[in-house]
Amino acid sequence: GMRRGLVGAQARLAGDKKSRMRAPCTALGAPSLIFLHGISTISFQTWLSQFKQLKDYALPNSSWSQGMMDLYSKFLEMCKDGTWKRIPSYNRTVDHIPGKAGSNEKEQKKTRLFLRSMDAEGVGFEYAMFFNPSEKRMVCLFQPGPYLEGPPGFAHGGSTAAIIDSTVGSCALVVAGRAMTANLSINYRSPIPLGSVVLVDSKVDQVEERKVFLSCEVRSIDGQTLHAEATGKDLAAGFHR
């Protein structure tokens, strides 16, 4: 189950701590999501040209802790054989949609993706996602910044819910196409310290027509502390109206 999958990932991550990003990782973006469903509405090369000028916020920056860098590097290593795919992240929702990237330039300053709404690095949501196609599993490496404080020294429960929702929703998107959260139930187990690094681990449990059922756990990177667990249901609409 989820626990065994997490332990398996952590076992694969238990290599040399000094390894760093020695090889590029294939990024799985919106067109790749479409190809997973056999709907080739836009070519991969066309998509790449659209995104060349966009800033990918899922890349390392100076605010990332050593623990965040180590975990990111390990997942990059696992991308080499195609087992995992890195998910790019931009600061506008529309920029994740094929054919829409960079559109409505006059409107760019009016909207921001919620988790990418802060300009300063390290103060809010610092995260990067990776997807495992064979396991229908999305993981998110999450480092909460000081602007996400709830109880003194810990992340607000709402920020935890937001990162869970985004990870679960991204997982549903990859597996079932365009989807939106119908419900999300979260059990909080242990607060997340600000500046720490946790692994948000989600997977698709079942698909019934338009309904996508998912589960998720948030654990410390050593797997010893369960911070939260969740179940959710997304409704898939597909890419064609």
Side-chain angles (χ1 to χ4, degrees), residues 52-240:
K52 275 197 260 184
Q53 303 304 318
L54 296 176
K55 178 179 178 179
D56 185 350
Y57 288 82
L59 295 175
N61 62 62
S62 60
S63 75
W64 284 21
S65 67
Q66 191 64 49
M68 183 76 164
M69 287 296 300
D70 287 345
L71 194 59
Y72 182 83
S73 297
K74 296 299 183 181
F75 269 98
L76 278 185
E77 288 295 315
M78 292 192 291
C79 286
K80 286 183 175 180
D81 62 1
T83 302
W84 291 87
K85 305 289 185 180
R86 190 184 71 82
I87 307 295
S89 179
Y90 310 104
N91 67 355
R92 295 197 312 151
T93 301
V94 69
D95 289 335
H96 296 81
I97 302 174
K100 299 292 185 179
S103 63
N104 300 319
E105 293 183 3
K106 294 181 180 179
E107 301 295 317
Q108 285 187 2
K109 295 184 179 180
K110 295 184 179 180
T111 63
R112 287 281 186 93
L113 184 65
F114 175 60
L115 269 62
R116 298 297 187 192
S117 61
M118 300 179 191
D119 290 324
E121 295 176 344
V123 298
F125 294 90
E126 289 292 339
Y127 66 95
M129 294 187 188
F130 292 83
F131 179 67
N132 184 315
S134 65
E135 297 180 0
K136 297 181 180 179
R137 180 173 163 214
M138 184 77 73
V139 299
C140 176
L141 291 52
F142 174 45
Q143 177 183 295
Y147 286 10
L148 302 185
E149 187 176 60
F154 295 94
H156 192 287
S159 67
T160 302
I163 201 69
I164 290 174
D165 188 26
S166 293
T167 306
V168 167
S170 296
C171 190
L173 171 67
V174 175
V175 173
R178 188 174 61 191
M180 295 187 69
T181 303
N183 61 57
L184 183 64
S185 177
I186 302 174
N187 291 319
Y188 295 95
R189 301 301 187 187
S190 178
I192 301 173
L194 295 173
S196 67
V197 180
V198 297
L199 190 66
V200 185
D201 193 341
S202 69
K203 67 182 180 69
V204 171
D205 296 320
Q206 187 175 358
V207 178
E208 295 179 359
E209 297 181 346
R210 293 179 57 233
K211 299 176 182 178
V212 185
F213 297 90
L214 306 102
S215 56
C216 182
E217 287 187 350
V218 182
R219 287 186 177 271
S220 56
I221 56 176
D222 63 6
Q224 298 303 305
T225 302
L226 175 63
H227 294 287
E229 53 189 349
T231 56
K233 179 176 72 177
D234 279 42
L235 295 181
F239 280 96
H240 295 299

